[in-house]
Amino acid sequence: MPPLFSGYDALPAADPQRAALGEAIAALRGWNRRTSADSVPTAVAIFWGQELVERKGAEAREAEEPVYDYLVDKLTDAERIAGLSVALEKLQRDFGRWQIPWGEINRFQRLTDDIVQPYDDARPSLPVGFASSQWGALASFDSSKPRKTKKIYGSTGNSFIAAVDFGPTIHAKALMSGGESGDPSSPHFTDQALMFSQGRFRDVLFYPEDVRAHAERSYSP
């Protein structure tokens, strides 16, 4: 973003782009560079970055350079500014305003037991503050391409996360996207979806007494 800011600051005072992009530039300048569901700059930055990748990715590959290094070193000020203008136009077109929090765009949705989910903007979904690993984000959350919806629905990334403390007593936390069950009629089909979207872990039940205390049913093989 610093080269974008420099290019914007170099625009003549009378250039209409100064007024058109001023609010978005101010939002990016004040951003803490952390993704979150309620962050407008997250949405602006990611849509801008993706626009530049779409415009210049082929050139980077032809030059045999990493695309992100190419975007930093080889773009002109005009190209960076044009990419931001188009990104704002896309946000305005698809969501009615560019000043939209990331979580209103970036969503978790699990409707059926299909491996490839039939995502639907008209159906319920949850806001997610994560982003694609291509922007250096962990946990990673990204959609398949090409996208057929206006909103972004996570279909790739970290679907299972765990942390284990191997002390005298084992303690572990884990989290799955959606839930343990693949059956849409099961209460465990989406019972971890809200936790996943908020980055809240569940306890792993490791010892028999813990499993028995939380068992819904049991059987003897």
Side-chain angles (χ1 to χ4, degrees), residues 53-74:
V53 170
E54 291 175 3
R55 287 171 170 236
K56 296 295 180 177
E59 288 184 18
R61 290 188 291 272
E62 290 175 3
E64 298 183 347
E65 291 192 27
V67 64
Y68 304 107
D69 292 344
Y70 191 88
L71 295 180
V72 171
D73 297 332
K74 300 298 172 60

PDB file of all heavy atoms in Angstrom, residues 53-74:
ATOM      1  N   VAL A  53      -3.927  -8.313  -9.193  1.00  0.00           N
ATOM      2  CA  VAL A  53      -3.511  -9.660  -9.588  1.00  0.00           C
ATOM      3  C   VAL A  53      -4.158 -10.044 -10.915  1.00  0.00           C
ATOM      4  O   VAL A  53      -3.514 -10.602 -11.816  1.00  0.00           O
ATOM      5  CB  VAL A  53      -3.859 -10.685  -8.501  1.00  0.00           C
ATOM      6  CG1 VAL A  53      -3.644 -12.112  -9.008  1.00  0.00           C
ATOM      7  CG2 VAL A  53      -3.019 -10.453  -7.241  1.00  0.00           C
ATOM      8  N   GLU A  54      -5.451  -9.747 -11.056  1.00  0.00           N
ATOM      9  CA  GLU A  54      -6.151 -10.083 -12.296  1.00  0.00           C
ATOM     10  C   GLU A  54      -5.589  -9.303 -13.480  1.00  0.00           C
ATOM     11  O   GLU A  54      -5.504  -9.818 -14.598  1.00  0.00           O
ATOM     12  CB  GLU A  54      -7.647  -9.797 -12.136  1.00  0.00           C
ATOM     13  CG  GLU A  54      -8.343 -10.749 -11.164  1.00  0.00           C
ATOM     14  CD  GLU A  54      -9.787 -10.385 -10.932  1.00  0.00           C
ATOM     15  OE1 GLU A  54     -10.278  -9.412 -11.576  1.00  0.00           O
ATOM     16  OE2 GLU A  54     -10.445 -11.039 -10.106  1.00  0.00           O
ATOM     17  N   ARG A  55      -5.198  -8.067 -13.233  1.00  0.00           N
ATOM     18  CA  ARG A  55      -4.690  -7.229 -14.325  1.00  0.00           C
ATOM     19  C   ARG A  55      -3.248  -7.568 -14.698  1.00  0.00           C
ATOM     20  O   ARG A  55      -2.875  -7.501 -15.873  1.00  0.00           O
ATOM     21  CB  ARG A  55      -4.751  -5.749 -13.906  1.00  0.00           C
ATOM     22  CG  ARG A  55      -6.145  -5.156 -13.879  1.00  0.00           C
ATOM     23  CD  ARG A  55      -6.141  -3.772 -13.237  1.00  0.00           C
ATOM     24  NE  ARG A  55      -7.442  -3.135 -13.429  1.00  0.00           N
ATOM     25  CZ  ARG A  55      -7.614  -1.953 -14.011  1.00  0.00           C
ATOM     26  NH1 ARG A  55      -6.575  -1.278 -14.460  1.00  0.00           N
ATOM     27  NH2 ARG A  55      -8.820  -1.445 -14.150  1.00  0.00           N
ATOM     28  N   LYS A  56      -2.422  -7.903 -13.701  1.00  0.00           N
ATOM     29  CA  LYS A  56      -0.986  -7.984 -13.932  1.00  0.00           C
ATOM     30  C   LYS A  56      -0.381  -9.355 -13.670  1.00  0.00           C
ATOM     31  O   LYS A  56       0.829  -9.547 -13.865  1.00  0.00           O
ATOM     32  CB  LYS A  56      -0.263  -6.949 -13.049  1.00  0.00           C
ATOM     33  CG  LYS A  56      -0.609  -5.504 -13.401  1.00  0.00           C
ATOM     34  CD  LYS A  56      -0.111  -5.165 -14.805  1.00  0.00           C
ATOM     35  CE  LYS A  56      -0.437  -3.740 -15.198  1.00  0.00           C
ATOM     36  NZ  LYS A  56       0.101  -3.407 -16.535  1.00  0.00           N
ATOM     37  N   GLY A  57      -1.199 -10.308 -13.245  1.00  0.00           N
ATOM     38  CA  GLY A  57      -0.670 -11.629 -12.943  1.00  0.00           C
ATOM     39  C   GLY A  57      -0.010 -12.290 -14.129  1.00  0.00           C
ATOM     40  O   GLY A  57       1.061 -12.906 -14.010  1.00  0.00           O
ATOM     41  N   ALA A  58      -0.635 -12.173 -15.307  1.00  0.00           N
ATOM     42  CA  ALA A  58      -0.064 -12.794 -16.513  1.00  0.00           C
ATOM     43  C   ALA A  58       1.293 -12.172 -16.854  1.00  0.00           C
ATOM     44  O   ALA A  58       2.231 -12.883 -17.251  1.00  0.00           O
ATOM     45  CB  ALA A  58      -1.029 -12.638 -17.681  1.00  0.00           C
ATOM     46  N   GLU A  59       1.409 -10.850 -16.695  1.00  0.00           N
ATOM     47  CA  GLU A  59       2.690 -10.190 -16.971  1.00  0.00           C
ATOM     48  C   GLU A  59       3.779 -10.686 -16.022  1.00  0.00           C
ATOM     49  O   GLU A  59       4.927 -10.897 -16.430  1.00  0.00           O
ATOM     50  CB  GLU A  59       2.538  -8.674 -16.821  1.00  0.00           C
ATOM     51  CG  GLU A  59       1.748  -8.007 -17.922  1.00  0.00           C
ATOM     52  CD  GLU A  59       1.723  -6.502 -17.751  1.00  0.00           C
ATOM     53  OE1 GLU A  59       2.587  -5.972 -17.008  1.00  0.00           O
ATOM     54  OE2 GLU A  59       0.844  -5.852 -18.352  1.00  0.00           O
ATOM     55  N   ALA A  60       3.415 -10.871 -14.753  1.00  0.00           N
ATOM     56  CA  ALA A  60       4.391 -11.356 -13.778  1.00  0.00           C
ATOM     57  C   ALA A  60       4.874 -12.750 -14.142  1.00  0.00           C
ATOM     58  O   ALA A  60       6.071 -13.048 -14.057  1.00  0.00           O
ATOM     59  CB  ALA A  60       3.770 -11.348 -12.377  1.00  0.00           C
ATOM     60  N   ARG A  61       3.944 -13.601 -14.562  1.00  0.00           N
ATOM     61  CA  ARG A  61       4.332 -14.963 -14.940  1.00  0.00           C
ATOM     62  C   ARG A  61       5.220 -14.957 -16.174  1.00  0.00           C
ATOM     63  O   ARG A  61       6.198 -15.717 -16.255  1.00  0.00           O
ATOM     64  CB  ARG A  61       3.085 -15.815 -15.173  1.00  0.00           C
ATOM     65  CG  ARG A  61       2.311 -16.125 -13.889  1.00  0.00           C
ATOM     66  CD  ARG A  61       1.206 -17.131 -14.132  1.00  0.00           C
ATOM     67  NE  ARG A  61       0.129 -16.569 -14.936  1.00  0.00           N
ATOM     68  CZ  ARG A  61      -0.907 -15.905 -14.440  1.00  0.00           C
ATOM     69  NH1 ARG A  61      -0.992 -15.685 -13.126  1.00  0.00           N
ATOM     70  NH2 ARG A  61      -1.868 -15.452 -15.232  1.00  0.00           N
ATOM     71  N   GLU A  62       4.920 -14.094 -17.136  1.00  0.00           N
ATOM     72  CA  GLU A  62       5.754 -13.997 -18.329  1.00  0.00           C
ATOM     73  C   GLU A  62       7.157 -13.499 -17.989  1.00  0.00           C
ATOM     74  O   GLU A  62       8.141 -13.898 -18.616  1.00  0.00           O
ATOM     75  CB  GLU A  62       5.100 -13.056 -19.342  1.00  0.00           C
ATOM     76  CG  GLU A  62       3.836 -13.627 -19.982  1.00  0.00           C
ATOM     77  CD  GLU A  62       3.160 -12.612 -20.896  1.00  0.00           C
ATOM     78  OE1 GLU A  62       3.714 -11.509 -21.060  1.00  0.00           O
ATOM     79  OE2 GLU A  62       2.081 -12.938 -21.431  1.00  0.00           O
ATOM     80  N   ALA A  63       7.232 -12.633 -16.993  1.00  0.00           N
ATOM     81  CA  ALA A  63       8.530 -12.110 -16.558  1.00  0.00           C
ATOM     82  C   ALA A  63       9.226 -13.058 -15.589  1.00  0.00           C
ATOM     83  O   ALA A  63      10.353 -12.775 -15.161  1.00  0.00           O
ATOM     84  CB  ALA A  63       8.349 -10.742 -15.891  1.00  0.00           C
ATOM     85  N   GLU A  64       8.558 -14.172 -15.247  1.00  0.00           N
ATOM     86  CA  GLU A  64       9.096 -15.177 -14.326  1.00  0.00           C
ATOM     87  C   GLU A  64       9.439 -14.541 -12.979  1.00  0.00           C
ATOM     88  O   GLU A  64      10.484 -14.813 -12.372  1.00  0.00           O
ATOM     89  CB  GLU A  64      10.314 -15.886 -14.920  1.00  0.00           C
ATOM     90  CG  GLU A  64       9.992 -16.652 -16.193  1.00  0.00           C
ATOM     91  CD  GLU A  64      11.184 -17.420 -16.750  1.00  0.00           C
ATOM     92  OE1 GLU A  64      12.320 -17.166 -16.291  1.00  0.00           O
ATOM     93  OE2 GLU A  64      10.976 -18.268 -17.630  1.00  0.00           O
ATOM     94  N   GLU A  65       8.510 -13.701 -12.495  1.00  0.00           N
ATOM     95  CA  GLU A  65       8.672 -13.064 -11.197  1.00  0.00           C
ATOM     96  C   GLU A  65       7.483 -13.414 -10.316  1.00  0.00           C
ATOM     97  O   GLU A  65       6.364 -13.579 -10.808  1.00  0.00           O
ATOM     98  CB  GLU A  65       8.750 -11.537 -11.339  1.00  0.00           C
ATOM     99  CG  GLU A  65      10.012 -11.033 -12.001  1.00  0.00           C
ATOM    100  CD  GLU A  65      10.151  -9.526 -11.850  1.00  0.00           C
ATOM    101  OE1 GLU A  65       9.617  -8.974 -10.869  1.00  0.00           O
ATOM    102  OE2 GLU A  65      10.782  -8.913 -12.730  1.00  0.00           O
ATOM    103  N   PRO A  66       7.697 -13.524  -8.993  1.00  0.00           N
ATOM    104  CA  PRO A  66       6.565 -13.703  -8.082  1.00  0.00           C
ATOM    105  C   PRO A  66       5.582 -12.551  -8.254  1.00  0.00           C
ATOM    106  O   PRO A  66       5.993 -11.390  -8.330  1.00  0.00           O
ATOM    107  CB  PRO A  66       7.211 -13.694  -6.696  1.00  0.00           C
ATOM    108  CG  PRO A  66       8.637 -14.080  -6.939  1.00  0.00           C
ATOM    109  CD  PRO A  66       8.982 -13.501  -8.278  1.00  0.00           C
ATOM    110  N   VAL A  67       4.302 -12.874  -8.338  1.00  0.00           N
ATOM    111  CA  VAL A  67       3.322 -11.851  -8.691  1.00  0.00           C
ATOM    112  C   VAL A  67       3.306 -10.704  -7.689  1.00  0.00           C
ATOM    113  O   VAL A  67       3.171  -9.530  -8.077  1.00  0.00           O
ATOM    114  CB  VAL A  67       1.918 -12.470  -8.834  1.00  0.00           C
ATOM    115  CG1 VAL A  67       1.417 -13.049  -7.525  1.00  0.00           C
ATOM    116  CG2 VAL A  67       0.923 -11.441  -9.360  1.00  0.00           C
ATOM    117  N   TYR A  68       3.488 -10.995  -6.405  1.00  0.00           N
ATOM    118  CA  TYR A  68       3.400  -9.921  -5.417  1.00  0.00           C
ATOM    119  C   TYR A  68       4.616  -9.006  -5.472  1.00  0.00           C
ATOM    120  O   TYR A  68       4.496  -7.794  -5.275  1.00  0.00           O
ATOM    121  CB  TYR A  68       3.184 -10.515  -4.018  1.00  0.00           C
ATOM    122  CG  TYR A  68       1.957 -11.394  -3.986  1.00  0.00           C
ATOM    123  CD1 TYR A  68       2.063 -12.773  -3.929  1.00  0.00           C
ATOM    124  CD2 TYR A  68       0.690 -10.829  -4.105  1.00  0.00           C
ATOM    125  CE1 TYR A  68       0.938 -13.575  -3.957  1.00  0.00           C
ATOM    126  CE2 TYR A  68      -0.443 -11.626  -4.141  1.00  0.00           C
ATOM    127  CZ  TYR A  68      -0.315 -12.992  -4.068  1.00  0.00           C
ATOM    128  OH  TYR A  68      -1.428 -13.776  -4.115  1.00  0.00           O
ATOM    129  N   ASP A  69       5.797  -9.579  -5.741  1.00  0.00           N
ATOM    130  CA  ASP A  69       6.973  -8.733  -5.947  1.00  0.00           C
ATOM    131  C   ASP A  69       6.779  -7.850  -7.174  1.00  0.00           C
ATOM    132  O   ASP A  69       7.155  -6.667  -7.180  1.00  0.00           O
ATOM    133  CB  ASP A  69       8.224  -9.597  -6.134  1.00  0.00           C
ATOM    134  CG  ASP A  69       8.614 -10.346  -4.874  1.00  0.00           C
ATOM    135  OD1 ASP A  69       8.117  -9.981  -3.790  1.00  0.00           O
ATOM    136  OD2 ASP A  69       9.406 -11.302  -4.975  1.00  0.00           O
ATOM    137  N   TYR A  70       6.189  -8.422  -8.198  1.00  0.00           N
ATOM    138  CA  TYR A  70       5.945  -7.679  -9.436  1.00  0.00           C
ATOM    139  C   TYR A  70       4.987  -6.512  -9.176  1.00  0.00           C
ATOM    140  O   TYR A  70       5.204  -5.397  -9.674  1.00  0.00           O
ATOM    141  CB  TYR A  70       5.353  -8.621 -10.484  1.00  0.00           C
ATOM    142  CG  TYR A  70       5.292  -8.051 -11.885  1.00  0.00           C
ATOM    143  CD1 TYR A  70       6.379  -8.182 -12.752  1.00  0.00           C
ATOM    144  CD2 TYR A  70       4.153  -7.389 -12.348  1.00  0.00           C
ATOM    145  CE1 TYR A  70       6.331  -7.667 -14.035  1.00  0.00           C
ATOM    146  CE2 TYR A  70       4.103  -6.875 -13.627  1.00  0.00           C
ATOM    147  CZ  TYR A  70       5.189  -7.011 -14.472  1.00  0.00           C
ATOM    148  OH  TYR A  70       5.138  -6.496 -15.743  1.00  0.00           O
ATOM    149  N   LEU A  71       3.942  -6.759  -8.390  1.00  0.00           N
ATOM    150  CA  LEU A  71       2.973  -5.698  -8.101  1.00  0.00           C
ATOM    151  C   LEU A  71       3.611  -4.555  -7.324  1.00  0.00           C
ATOM    152  O   LEU A  71       3.234  -3.395  -7.482  1.00  0.00           O
ATOM    153  CB  LEU A  71       1.790  -6.258  -7.312  1.00  0.00           C
ATOM    154  CG  LEU A  71       0.913  -7.290  -8.023  1.00  0.00           C
ATOM    155  CD1 LEU A  71      -0.217  -7.736  -7.110  1.00  0.00           C
ATOM    156  CD2 LEU A  71       0.359  -6.738  -9.322  1.00  0.00           C
ATOM    157  N   VAL A  72       4.569  -4.868  -6.475  1.00  0.00           N
ATOM    158  CA  VAL A  72       5.237  -3.832  -5.682  1.00  0.00           C
ATOM    159  C   VAL A  72       6.231  -3.037  -6.527  1.00  0.00           C
ATOM    160  O   VAL A  72       6.284  -1.805  -6.450  1.00  0.00           O
ATOM    161  CB  VAL A  72       5.951  -4.458  -4.469  1.00  0.00           C
ATOM    162  CG1 VAL A  72       6.839  -3.418  -3.769  1.00  0.00           C
ATOM    163  CG2 VAL A  72       4.945  -5.022  -3.486  1.00  0.00           C
ATOM    164  N   ASP A  73       7.004  -3.753  -7.352  1.00  0.00           N
ATOM    165  CA  ASP A  73       8.154  -3.121  -8.008  1.00  0.00           C
ATOM    166  C   ASP A  73       7.896  -2.608  -9.420  1.00  0.00           C
ATOM    167  O   ASP A  73       8.588  -1.695  -9.876  1.00  0.00           O
ATOM    168  CB  ASP A  73       9.325  -4.116  -8.068  1.00  0.00           C
ATOM    169  CG  ASP A  73       9.808  -4.523  -6.685  1.00  0.00           C
ATOM    170  OD1 ASP A  73       9.660  -3.721  -5.749  1.00  0.00           O
ATOM    171  OD2 ASP A  73      10.303  -5.661  -6.548  1.00  0.00           O
ATOM    172  N   LYS A  74       6.944  -3.188 -10.136  1.00  0.00           N
ATOM    173  CA  LYS A  74       6.854  -2.929 -11.567  1.00  0.00           C
ATOM    174  C   LYS A  74       5.631  -2.112 -11.987  1.00  0.00           C
ATOM    175  O   LYS A  74       5.538  -1.717 -13.150  1.00  0.00           O
ATOM    176  CB  LYS A  74       6.848  -4.254 -12.339  1.00  0.00           C
ATOM    177  CG  LYS A  74       8.086  -5.096 -12.106  1.00  0.00           C
ATOM    178  CD  LYS A  74       9.338  -4.376 -12.586  1.00  0.00           C
ATOM    179  CE  LYS A  74      10.611  -5.109 -12.197  1.00  0.00           C
ATOM    180  NZ  LYS A  74      10.712  -6.445 -12.738  1.00  0.00           N
TER     181      LYS A  74
END
